[in-house]
Amino acid sequence: MTLRQMVERIRYEGAYPTWERAEEVTRAVLGTLGRQLTGEERVDLAACLPVEAALVLSGQIPGAEPLTGWGFVKELAAHTGGTPATARWDTGAVLAVVGRLAGPELLDRIIDRLPSGYALLFGRPELIQSA
């Protein structure tokens, strides 16, 4: 898949008016994800993405503190100047496509590595085991 094809899918998922807006959102979400995801999962996910998208993801320095899913959305909103609601929408549109490109096995590994709240961002239910 090319970057153009990936962004077109994201444009459709997010109902963005232009390809340029969808690309901007894609880069912002992948950059934020790149600051959260580390290890083999980061490398394996980058290998599933178009080269340009992989560079955005892997070109980020991981953050010192892992963010929950909600923290991810708030950071994205602060970075883009948007609201938490639009950041949540943007995250869902991008990560739905990224999750399909990753496939179910890698997506399970990614969600297991990240703090709580990311399953929902990837469009999956988040089941929490009670103590």
Side-chain angles (χ1 to χ4, degrees), residues 18-99:
T18 65
W19 187 88
E20 291 77 16
R21 175 66 181 135
E23 181 188 29
E24 177 183 314
V25 165
T26 300
R27 289 181 182 280
V29 172
L30 287 176
T32 305
L33 183 61
R35 289 188 290 281
Q36 295 304 306
L37 191 59
T38 60
E40 289 180 31
E41 290 75 19
R42 178 178 166 135
V43 172
D44 293 346
L45 179 58
C48 296
L49 300 175
V51 173
E52 300 91 336
L55 290 173
V56 172
L57 177 82
S58 61
Q60 304 301 311
I61 298 170
E65 292 289 320
L67 298 173
T68 63
W70 177 238
F72 181 97
V73 169
K74 291 191 307 186
E75 181 173 304
L76 182 65
H79 176 73
T80 61
T83 66
T86 58
R88 172 61 183 94
W89 180 268
D90 295 343
T91 300
V94 174
L95 294 186
V97 173
V98 168

Side-chain angles (χ1 to χ4, degrees), residues 108-128:
D108 286 344
R109 289 177 30 222
I110 290 168
I111 291 170
D112 285 345
R113 172 160 297 262
L114 294 168
S116 68
Y118 282 86
L120 292 172
L121 298 179
F122 279 98
R124 288 187 166 181
E126 180 141 12
L127 303 176
I128 300 172

